[in-house]
């Protein structure tokens, strides 16, 4: 089965992949900065640790999705 995407579908797919990836990177940076520069009490440190782990997980998840989509596009272009 050959999947043909129009330019609009391709742009929409990239937008749907890149936007959450950038948002999760921003959340990761803010959580790490809050952990390093914020309050040294246990509760804020724990919250920022969980936010860091959570955002790192989703950043990796969307990064893998982007790589798989690029690989799929290269395969379609080669055919």
């Amino acid at each position: 089965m050959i999947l043909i995407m129009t330019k609009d579908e391709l742009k929409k797919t990239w937008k749907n992949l890149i936007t959450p990836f950038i948002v999760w990177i921003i959340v990761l940076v803010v959580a790490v900065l809050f952990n390093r520069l914020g309050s040294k009490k246990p509760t804020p440190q724990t919250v920022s640790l969980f936010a860091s782990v959570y955002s790192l997980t989703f950043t990796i998840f969307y990064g893998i999705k982007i790589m798989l989509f690029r690989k799929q596009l290269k395969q379609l272009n080669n055919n």
Side-chain angles (χ1 to χ4, degrees):
M1 179 177 164
I2 297 176
L3 178 65
I4 300 174
M5 296 180 78
T6 64
K7 295 235 184 239
D8 291 335
E9 291 172 334
L10 190 60
K11 286 181 183 179
K12 185 177 178 183
T13 303
W14 274 117
K15 180 183 172 193
N16 289 340
L17 288 174
I18 296 294
T19 303
F21 182 73
I22 292 172
V23 169
W24 285 114
I25 286 177
I26 292 170
V27 171
L28 177 63
V29 168
V30 168
V32 169
L33 287 175
F34 185 74
N35 191 354
R36 291 286 139 211
L37 304 174
S39 175
K40 299 302 177 195
K41 294 180 181 177
T43 302
Q45 288 288 312
T46 305
V47 170
S48 65
L49 174 69
F50 285 133
S52 298
V53 171
Y54 188 70
S55 60
L56 180 65
T57 302
F58 278 102
T59 302
I60 291 171
F61 173 73
Y62 278 103
I64 290 171
K65 285 180 77 171
I66 290 170
M67 290 186 330
L68 291 175
F69 184 65
R70 288 183 68 200
K71 183 179 177 182
Q72 181 184 12
L73 286 178
K74 285 182 183 179
Q75 288 176 351
L76 287 175
N77 286 337
N78 289 336
N79 290 337

